[in-house]
Amino acid sequence: MAAMEQQEVHERAGGRRRGPSKGDLREQAILRTARGLLADKPLERITVDDLVSGAGISRPTFYFYFASKQAVFEALLDPVGDAIMDVADSWLTSPGGSREELHASLAGLAALWSAHGPLLKVVLREDATGALLECRDRMLGRLAANATARIDRDRAAGLAPDGPPAADLGALMVRLLTQALSDAIGPSGTDPVPPGLLDTLTVVVGRSIYGRTPSDPAPAG
Amino acid sequence: MAAMEQQEVHERAGGRRRGPSKGDLREQAILRTARGLLADKPLERITVDDLVSGAGISRPTFYFYFASKQAVFEALLDPVGDAIMDVADSWLTSPGGSREELHASLAGLAALWSAHGPLLKVVLREDATGALLECRDRMLGRLAANATARIDRDRAAGLAPDGPPAADLGALMVRLLTQALSDAIGPSGTDPVPPGLLDTLTVVVGRSIYGRTPSDPAPAG
DNA sequence: GATAAACTCAACTGTGTGTTGAGTATTCCC
DNA sequence: GGGAATACTCAACACACAGTTGAGTTTATC
């Protein structure tokens, strides 16, 4: 319960209460250490002691700045989540249904995975909890909602054939993309996304949404 | 290092060395307890103490039968892995490229996920290690190899258009299927797979492999 | 220069994994 | 049936990691 109180204090002003700077440096040092360690080993193998010794502080000092190890990675993830939202929105608002445009959108996603691989892998993991889980659901939800809207729009315009409910198809495409990108960057999360993968994803997403097989209805208009 | 020795003893005959039965009951009790607990909570929240008290033994007795908590779940997974291999092979050897046949194959996979959901989720997790990781790679590899062979065959027969390298496409389809099924059965891994998902997956896989968009080549023959 | 808020830590608690060392039961061979 | 090997069992450790306590020092503010 004492833990609760302390966490609430932290929540109140997103980490520390206020104040100019002295401890800001330490907070930054913790975040920097976390980011660095993440390139070497997965989240579950990073201990509070790693962060503590990396930042040159003691254990309780760490807990003064962050409520838990997870909270550090949540803080790290915040700006990345925003970037994902931007990609999602730009995909929705981009013009036509051309292959090039789809390819470009996927490249935007891939760039995020290249830049923040380890972090994105963490948040997509099945056993995420707390704020990490919320963040994931928000990210995936926004991506899926925009994909769904896109599919509906293109179906209404006769660009895409009917098929599964747009929401199901959209959610599936999002899962496919995020999973494929996470796989591509390897266990450490630092490999580059191979260009061939982008081509394959473009074809698969393109065919799934716009493609026809003999048993699909013919194009409208 | 003492741990090493004990583990090797275990490995030598897949668990215990031999002998008739007395301890076989305990081993079964541990496995049964593990399977039961898995329906309630995820692997990482199951402790050795849970298994120990569930099976009515002491801690060291547990370690006599299994080298670690992970080893228990590896043992549980063995037969499931075999079943996956069967599904993979039956998909490869099934006849034509009809939608019904694809749907039936996917239903076979889905049945496995319904029956062994929690276990399959564990093995597909990114942070699997040791034998669990090997098992996963073997399963996914076999599925992907068979999907690839299937795509090659159907392309050669003029049933499927050209497109991304068959191996890339096959691997992506496998990832899509396993991920979608894992998602569908929920966090606990015990929800039923909704029938609508099977339809959607059938369409997506069908279109990805056999479908055409205006920019894809026309059907051969 | 006193008061409060920001900051720091040595030493602790708690929970989990895996081990040690010393046994008891079972089997197998004579 | 006696004796040695093998199967099995456990109380009591050792250790790693998360998170806490309680008491202290610095820094900003009036």
Side-chain angles (χ1 to χ4, degrees), chain A residues 49-214:
Chain A
D49 278 337
D50 290 338
L51 296 172
V52 152
S53 59
I57 57 177
S58 79
R59 230 181 145 58
T61 299
F62 169 86
Y63 283 100
F64 177 81
Y65 289 104
F66 294 96
S68 68
K69 189 176 68 166
Q70 265 216 1
V72 176
F73 296 98
E74 286 163 17
L76 234 36
L77 192 67
D78 255 4
V80 182
D82 291 347
I84 294 239
M85 296 297 187
D86 287 349
V87 169
D89 289 343
S90 80
W91 186 46
L92 178 60
T93 58
S94 67
S98 83
R99 189 168 204 143
E100 288 70 29
E101 178 246 330
L102 180 57
H103 195 282
S105 290
L106 296 184
L109 258 197
L112 283 180
W113 254 257
S114 291
H116 308 286
L119 225 41
L120 286 167
K121 292 190 80 142
V122 166
V123 83
L124 287 173
R125 283 241 317 265
E126 189 56 49
D127 58 338
T129 53
L132 235 38
L133 185 112
E134 273 172 46
C135 177
R136 180 186 73 173
D137 290 346
R138 216 167 45 238
M139 275 170 38
L140 293 181
R142 178 82 145 262
L143 282 168
N146 289 10
T148 301
R150 181 72 191 247
I151 292 168
D152 274 334
R153 208 180 70 192
D154 287 348
R155 280 183 179 173
L159 291 171
D162 267 352
D168 292 356
L169 188 50
L172 206 55
M173 291 300 102
V174 167
R175 272 306 196 176
L176 170 66
L177 294 174
T178 55
Q179 183 69 26
L181 289 171
S182 290
D183 286 351
I185 57 178
S188 69
T190 53
D191 300 344
V193 176
L197 176 62
L198 277 189
D199 296 337
T200 302
L201 285 174
T202 304
V203 171
V204 167
V205 174
R207 284 182 181 173
S208 295
I209 298 179
Y210 305 104
R212 292 175 177 83
T213 67

Side-chain angles (χ1 to χ4, degrees), chain B residues 2-3 47-48 59-60 63:
Chain B
T47 71
V48 174
R59 227 180 148 60
Y63 282 101

Side-chain angles (χ1 to χ4, degrees), chain B residues 97-180:
Chain B
S98 82
R99 190 168 204 142
E100 287 72 28
E101 179 245 328
L102 180 57
H103 194 283
S105 291
L106 296 184
L109 258 198
L112 283 180
W113 254 257
S114 291
H116 308 286
L119 225 40
L120 286 167
K121 293 189 79 140
V122 166
V123 83
L124 288 173
R125 282 239 318 261
E126 190 55 48
D127 59 335
T129 54
L132 235 38
L133 185 112
E134 274 172 45
C135 178
R136 181 187 71 173
D137 291 345
R138 217 167 46 237
M139 277 169 36
L140 292 181
R142 177 81 145 263
L143 284 168
N146 288 8
T148 301
R150 181 70 192 248
I151 293 168
D152 273 333
R153 209 179 69 190
D154 288 348
R155 280 183 179 172
L159 292 170
D162 267 352
D168 292 356
L169 188 51
L172 207 55
M173 291 299 102
V174 167
R175 273 307 195 176
L176 170 66
L177 294 174
T178 55
Q179 183 68 28

Side-chain angles (χ1 to χ4, degrees), chain B residues 174-220:
Chain B
V174 167
R175 273 307 195 176
L176 170 66
L177 294 174
T178 55
Q179 183 68 28
L181 289 171
S182 290
D183 285 352
I185 58 178
S188 69
T190 52
D191 299 346
V193 176
L197 175 62
L198 277 188
D199 295 337
T200 302
L201 285 174
T202 304
V203 171
V204 167
V205 174
R207 284 181 181 173
S208 294
I209 298 178
Y210 304 105
R212 291 178 176 82
T213 68
S215 48
D216 284 321

